[in-house]
Amino acid sequence: MPPHDDPEILRQLCAHAAELAQASGRPLSRLTVRTGETVVELEWALTTTAAPEIPAGPTEAEAELRYLRSPMVGTFYHAATPDSAPFIGEGDVIEIGQPVGILEAMKLMNPVEADIIAGRVLEIVVPDGTFVEYDQPLVLLAPAGA
């Protein structure tokens, strides 16, 4: 029996073709395996037929997170002066009306206060001395009970 007609070679070719098809993660559009003249052809579809992945919505806890946003354009500072301690830090619990920073606009220093939620500071989003736009997120808060 010539080597190309050997059933063991055909089995090995089929096994390798199956491994390649599975490893690609894409659907095959064509697969050819022959023993006469030993041919193995694999062809993958150019596009996948899998449904697009739909991102999951926020969890209940994430849905309650809120950003304190910039009320105006300006430079956001974490402290009243370069030598002062920051108004807030990550992990602090703050109340509505509490200062969280200062926005400098046209040489005027404007206090930025927690205006939407009392809660725990998860992240101060912008670095000290950063120019910010109107409505840009400044501080990420979780509700006080979270």
Side-chain angles (χ1 to χ4, degrees), residues 2-141:
H4 60 270
D5 290 333
D6 186 345
E8 180 58 25
I9 292 176
L10 178 60
R11 188 195 65 71
Q12 290 176 359
L13 286 174
C14 288
H16 289 301
E19 288 173 15
L20 285 172
Q22 185 175 7
S24 76
R26 297 185 307 167
L28 286 174
S29 62
R30 185 168 58 105
L31 168 66
T32 305
V33 178
R34 290 190 198 129
T35 55
E37 300 298 321
T38 314
V39 175
V40 175
E41 293 178 0
L42 301 169
E43 187 175 307
W44 283 268
L46 295 177
T47 60
T48 63
T49 57
E53 186 175 318
I54 299 172
T59 64
E60 186 176 326
E62 290 171 336
E64 294 181 9
L65 299 180
R66 296 286 184 265
Y67 283 104
L68 295 179
R69 297 179 173 275
S70 177
M72 66 183 75
V73 173
T75 303
F76 182 69
Y77 295 104
H78 295 185
T81 67
D83 297 332
S84 300
F87 288 103
I88 60 170
E90 292 181 5
D92 289 353
V93 176
I94 63 172
E95 299 296 327
I96 291 179
Q98 180 176 338
V100 298
I102 291 179
L103 267 170
E104 178 184 5
M106 297 175 55
K107 302 292 180 190
L108 295 174
M109 300 298 182
N110 303 284
V112 178
E113 298 176 347
D115 60 350
I116 60 167
I117 185 175
R120 186 172 36 88
V121 177
L122 295 180
E123 179 182 4
I124 300 171
V125 180
V126 295
D128 188 49
T130 301
F131 181 81
V132 296
E133 297 289 336
Y134 169 75
D135 205 36
Q136 181 174 338
L138 301 174
V139 179
L140 179 61
L141 295 174

